[in-house]
């Protein structure tokens, strides 16, 4: 049902508190930082009369601006701060578009499609930008240049599998919308344990961009953690869906 009455910023924030997605499976940065920040941006977008798709476009503009800077500009402290800020803002707006949809009742399958396509594009572009930056500005061996290539392959696989698993879970339940808060949760300890898989942590790693050795190590460790998580998650998701299909 579409909301016809425009809420104030404070009213919108309060309404959104009760319409958050479940914390089940959510990494710590997304759960404790990005969603609350996205909630406030969503309330501001609602007051400004922006649609969910318009918020998605704003998210893409921020994110791809930051990604372009990584590939084009030599590493420096100013660049590190600018890139991290743009990526963090883009990620928060990525959370805000869905919250605007829930607040206004204007969510659509086309909007969800747009959101996922932008997410898929930014994953690929971000790692390609790192590869270009390392090739242009870092003195690294050809073997080291394989790190962002492998990271891209792993994260693309993990993202596709995660989205498909979520869609199939909802299909098996006959459920169109995501679970809301209170319909499932994960402990704070679990959220901290899976934080290496959080795109928000990836955004913060770019704060190390001015310290080239630190960025090389931080980015590589994040890629290794993502690979480990993916190796563990894929069989778990497969077995879960296999059991659910039998039960259904």
């Amino acid at each position: 049902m579409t909301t016809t009455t425009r809420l104030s910023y404070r009213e919108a924030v309060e309404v959104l508190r009760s319409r958050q997605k479940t914390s089940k499976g959510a990494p710590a940065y997304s759960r404790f930082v990005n969603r609350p920040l996205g909630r406030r941006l969503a309330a501001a977008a609602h007051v400004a009369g922006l649609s969910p798709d318009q918020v998605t476009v704003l998210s893409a503009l921020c994110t791809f601006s930051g990604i372009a800077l990584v590939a084009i500009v030599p590493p420096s402290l100013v660049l590190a701060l600018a890139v991290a800020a743009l990526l963090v803002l883009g990620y928060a707006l990525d959370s805000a578009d869905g919250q605007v949809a829930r607040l206004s009742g204007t969510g659509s399958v086309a909007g969800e499609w747009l959101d996922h396509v932008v997410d898929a594009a930014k994953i690929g572009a971000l790692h390609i930008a790192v590869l270009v930056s390392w090739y242009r500005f870092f003195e690294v061996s050809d073997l080291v240049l394989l790190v962002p290539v492998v990271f891209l392959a792993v994260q693309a696989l993990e993202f596709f599998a995660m989205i498909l698993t979520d869609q199939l879970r909802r299909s098996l339940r006959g459920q169109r919308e995501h679970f809301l808060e209170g319909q499932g949760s994960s402990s704070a300890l679990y959220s901290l344990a899976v934080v290496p898989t959080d795109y928000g942590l990836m955004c913060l790693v770019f704060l190390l961009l001015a310290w080239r050795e630190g960025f090389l190590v931080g980015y590589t460790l994040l890629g290794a953690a993502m690979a480990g998580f993916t190796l563990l998650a894929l069989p778990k998701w497969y077995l879960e869906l296999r059991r659910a299909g039998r039960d259904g």
Side-chain angles (χ1 to χ4, degrees), residues 192-226:
L192 289 171
V194 297
V195 75
T197 68
D198 200 325
Y199 177 78
L201 185 58
M202 171 74 74
C203 299
L204 296 180
V205 163
F206 282 87
L207 288 170
L208 298 173
L209 198 56
W211 178 28
R212 302 188 187 195
E213 293 77 9
F215 181 69
L216 282 166
V217 172
Y219 178 88
T220 301
L221 289 177
L222 200 58
M226 176 65 75

Side-chain angles (χ1 to χ4, degrees), residues 9 12-18 20 31 33-44 92 95-96 99:
Y9 173 81
V13 170
E14 289 305 312
V15 171
L16 284 170
R17 289 184 193 278
S18 64
Q20 294 297 290
R31 180 176 177 180
V33 179
N34 200 58
R35 288 182 183 175
L37 181 57
R39 180 165 62 241
R40 286 159 177 77
L41 292 174
S95 173
Q99 299 193 54

